[in-house]
């Protein structure tokens, strides 16, 4: 379980997140939606300890993440797919997957071969350099790279941005398969369609503050939230 309590995040003097409280239960699937600049990526980077300065408490499986380094958070089972994907352009698809295997983990990992079977669109590209892949192919590779270590919490930052609808539809199945093995999900998105299919409940963020939290049914009933805080 991930518990975020009273989280504030700063870039230098700039105060970006204000008193955020949210929980992702073990195996639970939660969406965070909000328009550009609302603070979605800042939250995920704060959870990874990668960028913003923070105040407040972030607990993962009962343990305060405090000053734990990003690589150590990954070893604790938290996998992060950043919005810019960070594929290594000079390595092949296969090599990108191979180096993502974290040998410090005690739990079982998949092999690159097994992972390529799970992502059939990547299979034929296995010897292609990461740098020449399309945006959609890079996003699939970023997801496969996160999945290879069998994470217990997947942090996805706008995975559907700029992707063709057919790739987005396939990605719903990929995310559901990864989470089907008990992995929890915190999905930052602007696509309501994708978020609904991948998660059970939703938080809405606007200007660094949560303005709604609830099940999708409650979101649908909360008139005005969509127009006021999302604009999509
Ligand atoms: N490295 C940084 N230094 C200073 N300010 C930043 C930095 N990164 C983001 N910000 C600011 O923090 C605020 C939140 O940005 P963030 O990237 O978290 O939003 P977002 O919801 O992920 O937006 P998008 O949907 O465009 O990715 C914005 O006002 C942004 O300009
Ligand atoms: Mg972002």
């Amino acid at each position: 379980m991930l518990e975020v309590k009273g989280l504030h995040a700063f870039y230098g003097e700039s105060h970006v997140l204000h008193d955020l409280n949210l929980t992702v239960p073990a195996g639970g699937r939660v969406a965070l939606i909000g328009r550009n600049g609302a603070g979605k990526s800042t939250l995920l980077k704060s959870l990874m300890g990668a960028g913003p300065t923070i105040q407040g408490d972030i607990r993962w499986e009962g343990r305060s993440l405090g000053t734990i380094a990003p690589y150590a958070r990954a070893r604790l089972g938290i996998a992060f797919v950043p919005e810019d994907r960070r594929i290594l352009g000079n390595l092949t698809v296969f090599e990108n997957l191979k180096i993502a295997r974290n040998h410090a983990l005690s739990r079982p990992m998949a092999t690159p071969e097994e992972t390529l079977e799970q992502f059939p669109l990547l299979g034929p590209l296995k010897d292609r350099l990461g740098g020449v892949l399309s945006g959609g192919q890079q996003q699939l590779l970023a997801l496969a790279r996160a999945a290879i270590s069998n994470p217990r919490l997947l942090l996805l930052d706008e995975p559907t941005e700029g992707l063709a609808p057919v790739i987005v539809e396939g990605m719903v199945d990929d995310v559901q398969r990864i989470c089907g093995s008990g992995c929890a999900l915190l999905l930052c998105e602007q696509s309501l369609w994708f978020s609904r299919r991948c998660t059970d409940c939703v938080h809405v963020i606007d200007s660094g503050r949560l303005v709604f939290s609830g099940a999708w049914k409650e979101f649908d009933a909360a008139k005005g939230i969509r127009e006021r805080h999302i604009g999509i």
Side-chain angles (χ1 to χ4, degrees):
M1 165 140 90
L2 175 76
E3 295 166 281
V4 176
K5 282 194 191 139
L7 179 70
H8 294 260
F10 305 82
Y11 294 108
E13 304 269 289
S14 175
H15 190 171
V16 172
L17 296 184
H18 303 263
D19 195 26
L20 252 66
N21 295 285
L22 64 86
T23 299
V24 182
R29 302 179 196 182
V30 175
L32 177 70
I33 57 177
R35 45 167 93 98
N36 293 122
K40 304 180 296 296
S41 300
T42 301
L43 172 63
L44 296 189
K45 288 175 191 166
S46 299
L47 298 178
M48 282 315 280
T53 307
I54 68 155
Q55 288 170 8
D57 195 23
I58 302 172
R59 280 179 186 271
W60 169 237
E61 297 184 335
R63 171 178 184 171
S64 178
L65 291 180
T67 55
I68 293 178
Y71 74 87
R73 298 184 197 210
R75 285 184 187 173
L76 292 173
I78 305 176
F80 177 37
V81 179
E83 60 188 336
D84 57 0
R85 296 150 187 160
R86 304 278 178 111
I87 297 303
L88 296 170
N90 292 327
L91 298 186
T92 65
V93 166
F94 189 88
E95 289 164 343
N96 266 278
L97 291 173
K98 197 170 163 195
I99 64 159
R101 297 182 87 227
N102 190 333
H103 293 278
L105 299 181
S106 51
R107 61 183 184 280
M109 287 177 289
T111 63
E113 290 84 355
E114 286 164 344
T115 303
L116 287 169
E117 270 174 39
Q118 299 280 313
F119 291 84
L121 290 178
L122 289 179
L125 307 172
K126 77 179 175 49
D127 297 320
R128 200 167 293 182
L129 290 179
V132 303
L133 299 179
S134 72
Q137 291 164 341
Q138 287 202 348
Q139 189 61 61
L140 282 179
L141 178 54
L143 192 57
R145 181 186 60 194
I148 201 165
S149 288
N150 289 321
R152 290 199 297 274
L153 172 63
L154 182 60
L155 305 176
L156 285 184
D157 198 352
E158 295 204 48
T160 70
E161 198 190 1
L163 301 192
V166 62
I167 304 266
V168 173
E169 278 173 33
M171 199 176 276
V172 172
D173 297 336
D174 293 328
V175 170
Q176 288 183 346
R177 186 183 63 248
I178 295 167
C179 295
S181 55
C183 175
L185 172 68
L186 179 55
L187 168 69
C188 289
E189 257 301 339
Q190 296 202 45
S191 163
L192 291 176
W193 185 88
F194 184 78
S195 302
R196 271 177 203 280
R197 273 154 191 81
C198 294
T199 63
D200 308 312
C201 69
V202 54
H203 299 275
V204 178
I205 186 169
D206 191 355
S207 304
R209 290 180 168 84
L210 291 188
V211 293
F212 174 86
S213 301
W216 281 103
K217 231 184 210 172
E218 295 167 275
F219 173 82
D220 291 334
K223 298 242 178 301
I225 286 281
R226 190 171 169 150
E227 290 76 13
R228 255 199 323 276
H229 298 293
I230 310 173
I232 45 177

